[in-house]
């Protein structure tokens, strides 16, 4: 009686819904909700804080897009109803989802809402890359600027990329520092040549270069520098010390030699500076001059300390110092394209406009307007006219103004009606070029993209440009930044790991031989090289889960025990995994296993949650308050295996419902310890890795889990990866109105055998990437 009365009222309210789906709520939807949802969400039951039979709240419930999005996602992922309950047919499931999409969300699959994106400032990586591509100047924004905030797992989200007064001060200081290097302001100078550290080689073994000299052994590397004039030269070596992340007693003497004679000598040891300098003045003759660096062992490392290495980055040779030869620096023509300025003020003003137009066009990512250009040129000429100043100094001031302009620091996009949420427009071609270049290159558009945008031809050449950009070396930045955040490979080199406790040894040196910085870097590059290969060769997206190959160098191969690998250190070659290999897919790669562990032990919870959120796209709800830590269980019974500890933890009703989602996933990976190394037992007990997904599929072990995810749940993975990539590309999180866009990308992947390029094309051709609407609440 009560239920009948309740639904009579509910149906009256439901009649207010605009039925765009073609479905009748009374006949098509309400019976399905009764059959499959009411056990948990009606008659007083409100699991997940969701009640479907409260008429006073039903209209409000219909407007709660967040809750209906959760219902829609659970239906789509088949996690609701739970596997042990009676399941709707595929047609019934599709019917409810269509009703939610069309009648609750009011979305139009034919014309998806592109959403709005908060104006975005350049993050630290984008800033550094943009400066490099603009001026050829290396600027380490990670050292100079505070860390960027992240949203939805990425540092490209407009809503979190704000500017504080302190950051603005740092931008001003950075601009001055960059311009000092980029814009030559002192006219011609004593010439300087630069020699790469890799050009210095041992006369005894040509494979030994200046980039890797060990402290334990006396070594000498040299280079023949050719000079055209006799005289006194200044030789400066830039180097770094590596090999240990902790302070060490290890030390050596370094000698700087010219024609066999010593001109400077210093003791070097552990030093965490990125660059250290050692200089000497020495006479050089006309022709070849032998410059050498010699390393002489001095102090052994203490027991357990890691040995150190010398890395020569560059050697600068400046001279002759008597000023008998002067040259404009090599970057002079990069800025002053027509050489020194003309004599008359009018000609100098026009020349300043030409120089500044070229820089401002690229820095602002669109043609600079004449008013702004005139102001910049006026500033340059004003400085030029001051006593004792040069034309070049005026240009430097104007370029500094460009680099602190909001048009440079922010990726602004023109919107005809910025405050009208009902106004949807295509972004202009210059904005499209910027979105594309910051997506795939993490930097500003190159001349080709800029030229196509200027001609209005970028949209019709979009796929060809995507292919060109992915073939360019700058696409490595996309891999490093997207994969680095999606799979957290950024963290591998710095995450805290207590190797000795994991390996249960007190010998620091023995632990270091198993796991050290070289291994950390090799495992990170394995994952990134693997993803880069999928992108370059247009392989299946599903290879991420079930590939029977990987990419390793000697460090990674030794770590994994690939004894038949014949490659070299630092070069990542494809390695075919044997059929009985314990590796295959991202779930078995060291980078993934390390970042999802604790410093001293594995974490099935973290690993399981990671898979739910980043592979399946079905994150578990937040833990309720006052949930006891797993350590409380293990502290009470120290001889428990991880699986046993989790079983005790799950025995608490408060913990069971959520842990049943992710524990089986994490326990499937328990054969890999917190370093990612294989083990058969835990605390003397054999590790069991069998389990079942919430949707009912069974698996046994990490490799089999990857295979199940790549087959039975591949659509979930397609959707999750599409959402992650689109979030990274457009700079905002996914909303309920993005469902048609994601569906379209997934359908394209299904049609085209899940190829990686299909995913990239789907993102850049989507409505959110190509269009925008005004700010404000979305109009229905």
């Amino acid at each position: 009686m009560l239920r009948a009365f309740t639904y009579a009222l509910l149906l009256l309210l439901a009649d207010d819904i605009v039925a765009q789906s073609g479905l009748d709520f009374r006949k098509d939807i309400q019976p399905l909700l009764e059959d499959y949802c009411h056990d948990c969400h009606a008659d007083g039951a409100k699991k997940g804080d969701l009640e479907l039979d409260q008429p006073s709240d039903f209209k409000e419930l219909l407007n709660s897009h967040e809750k209906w999005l959760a219902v829609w996602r659970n239906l789509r992922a088949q996690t609701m109803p739970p596997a042990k309950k009676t399941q709707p047919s595929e047609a019934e499931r599709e019917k409810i989802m269509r009703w939610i999409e069309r009648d609750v969300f009011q979305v139009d699959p034919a014309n998806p809402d592109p959403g709005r994106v908060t104006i975005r400032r350049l993050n630290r990586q984008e800033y550094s890359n943009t400066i490099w591509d603009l001026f050829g100047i290396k600027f380490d924004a990670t050292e100079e600027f505070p860390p960027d905030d992240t949203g939805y797992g990425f540092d490209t989200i407009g809503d979190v990329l704000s500017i504080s007064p302190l950051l603005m001060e740092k931008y001003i200081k950075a601009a001055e520092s960059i311009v000092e290097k980029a814009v030559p302001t002192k006219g011609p100078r004593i010439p300087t040549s630069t020699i790469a550290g890799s050009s210095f080689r041992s006369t005894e073994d040509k494979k030994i270069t200046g980039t890797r000299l060990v402290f334990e052994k006396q070594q000498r590397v040299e280079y023949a520098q050719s000079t055209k004039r006799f005289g006194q030269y200044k030789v400066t070596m830039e180097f770094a010390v590596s090999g240990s992340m902790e302070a060490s007693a290890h030390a050596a003497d370094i000698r700087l030699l010219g024609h066999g004679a010593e001109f400077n000598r210093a003791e070097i040891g552990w030093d965490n500076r990125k660059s250290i300098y050692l200089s000497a003045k020495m006479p050089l003759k006309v022709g070849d001059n032998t410059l050498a660096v010699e390393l002489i062992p001095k102090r052994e490392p203490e027991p357990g300390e890691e040995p150190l290495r010398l890395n020569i980055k560059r050697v600068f040779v400046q001279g002759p110092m008597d000023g008998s030869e002067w040259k404009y620096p090599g970057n002079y023509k990069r800025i002053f394209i027509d050489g020194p300025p003309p004599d008359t003020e009018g000609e100098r003003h026009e020349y300043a406009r030409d120089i500044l137009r070229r820089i401002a066009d690229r820095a602002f990512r669109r043609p600079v307007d004449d008013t702004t250009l005139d102001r910049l040129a006026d500033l340059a000429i004003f400085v030029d006219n001051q006593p004792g100043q040069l034309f070049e100094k005026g240009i430097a001031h104007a370029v500094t103004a460009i680099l602190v302009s909001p048009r440079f620091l922010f990726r602004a996009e023109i919107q005809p009606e910025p405050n009208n949420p009902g106004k949807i427009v295509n972004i202009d071609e210059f904005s499209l070029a910027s979105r594309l270049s910051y997506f795939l290159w993490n930097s500003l558009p190159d001349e080709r993209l800029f030229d196509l945008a200027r001609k209005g031809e970028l949209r019709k050449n979009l796929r060809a440009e995507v292919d060109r950009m992915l073939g360019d070396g700058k696409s490595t930045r996309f891999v490093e930044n997207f994969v680095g955040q999606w799979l957290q490979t950024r963290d591998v080199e710095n995450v805290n790991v207590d190797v000795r406790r994991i390996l249960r040894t007190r010998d620091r040196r023995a632990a270091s031989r198993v796991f050290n910085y070289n291994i950390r870097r090799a495992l990170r590059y394995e994952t990134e090289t693997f993803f880069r290969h999928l992108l370059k060769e247009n392989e299946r997206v599903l290879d991420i889960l079930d590939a029977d190959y990987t990419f390793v160098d000697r460090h990674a191969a030794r770590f994994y025990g690939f004894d038949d690998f014949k490659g070299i250190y630092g070069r990542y070659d494809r390695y075919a995994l044997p059929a009985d290999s314990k590796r295959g897919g991202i779930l078995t790669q060291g980078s993934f296993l390390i970042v999802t562990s604790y410093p001293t032990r594995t974490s099935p919870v973290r690993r399981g949650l990671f898979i739910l959120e980043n592979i399946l796209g079905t994150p578990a709800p937040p833990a309720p308050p006052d949930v006891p830590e797993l350590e409380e269980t293990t502290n009470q019974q120290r001889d428990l295996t991880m699986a046993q500890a989790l079983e005790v933890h799950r025995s608490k009703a408060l913990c069971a419902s959520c842990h049943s989602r992710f524990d089986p996933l994490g326990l499937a990976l328990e054969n890999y310890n917190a370093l990612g190394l294989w083990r058969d037992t835990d605390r003397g007990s054999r590790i069991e890795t069998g389990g079942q997904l919430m949707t009912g599929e069974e698996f046994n072990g990490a490799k089999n889990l990857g295979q199940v995810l790549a087959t039975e749940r591949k659509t979930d993975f397609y959707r999750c990866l599409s959402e992650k990539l689109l979030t990274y590309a457009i700079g905002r999180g996914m909303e309920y109105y993005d469902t048609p866009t994601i569906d379209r990308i997934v359908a394209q992947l299904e049609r085209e055998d899940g190829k990686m390029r299909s995913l990239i094309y789907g993102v850049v051709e989507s409505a959110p990437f190509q269009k925008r609407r005004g700010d404000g609440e979305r109009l229905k």
Side-chain angles (χ1 to χ4, degrees), residues 236-257:
T236 303
M237 179 177 66
E238 179 187 2
F239 65 95
V241 175
S242 60
S244 175
M245 298 186 72
E246 298 177 353
S248 167
H250 207 183
D253 277 347
I254 186 171
R255 301 173 69 211
L256 201 54
L257 309 166

Side-chain angles (χ1 to χ4, degrees), residues 624-777:
D626 303 324
V627 172
E629 293 289 337
L630 184 63
E631 277 71 16
E632 293 182 25
T633 302
T634 56
N635 287 339
Q636 293 169 7
Q637 303 180 57
R638 293 181 178 275
D639 59 341
L640 294 180
T641 66
M642 186 59 65
Q644 292 166 342
L646 283 171
E647 189 174 350
V648 173
H649 196 68
R650 284 196 302 273
S651 67
K652 304 177 189 299
L654 191 63
C655 309
S657 61
C658 289
H659 276 266
S660 63
R661 292 189 180 205
F662 45 74
D663 280 1
L665 299 173
L667 289 171
L669 279 60
E670 268 298 280
N671 279 128
Y672 305 95
N673 70 12
L675 298 177
L677 291 171
W678 180 267
R679 60 182 181 171
D680 291 304
T681 61
D682 178 20
R683 297 181 184 272
S685 299
R686 183 172 179 80
I687 295 172
E688 299 296 332
T689 57
Q692 184 176 347
L693 296 176
M694 282 286 291
T695 46
E697 295 87 353
E698 295 182 348
F699 53 83
N700 187 15
K703 279 187 68 174
N704 186 230
L705 172 59
Q707 292 162 355
V708 169
L709 296 177
T711 51
E712 302 298 322
R713 310 310 305 175
K714 72 173 184 179
T715 301
D716 294 333
F717 179 56
Y718 284 162
R719 183 170 286 108
C720 178
L721 184 53
S722 299
E723 289 182 354
K724 296 291 183 183
L725 197 60
L726 191 59
T727 297
Y728 173 85
I730 65 174
R732 65 168 175 81
M734 295 295 95
E735 302 288 350
Y736 65 89
Y737 49 76
D738 291 308
T739 53
T741 294
I742 299 300
D743 285 345
R744 190 171 297 180
I745 296 173
V746 171
Q748 185 168 312
L749 281 168
E750 297 276 12
R751 287 193 308 270
E752 299 179 9
D753 195 29
K755 296 294 186 179
M756 185 65 78
R757 293 285 173 97
S758 299
L759 176 60
I760 302 296
Y761 295 152
V763 168
V764 301
E765 291 171 351
S766 69
F769 195 90
Q770 294 265 337
K771 301 178 180 181
R772 66 175 294 129
R773 63 170 166 82
D775 289 347
E777 292 297 322

Side-chain angles (χ1 to χ4, degrees), residues 32 97 110 128 147 169 201 301 323 377 400 474 574 583 638 648:
L32 298 179
M97 288 169 60
S128 293
E169 289 181 14
R201 294 187 176 274
T400 302
K474 287 187 284 189
R574 179 168 174 151
R583 307 286 169 175
R638 293 181 178 275
V648 173

Side-chain angles (χ1 to χ4, degrees), residues 82-97:
K84 61 185 178 182
K85 300 278 188 179
T86 303
Q87 297 294 309
S89 68
E90 192 62 33
E92 289 172 330
R93 206 178 284 273
E94 288 292 333
K95 188 181 292 185
I96 299 174
M97 288 169 60

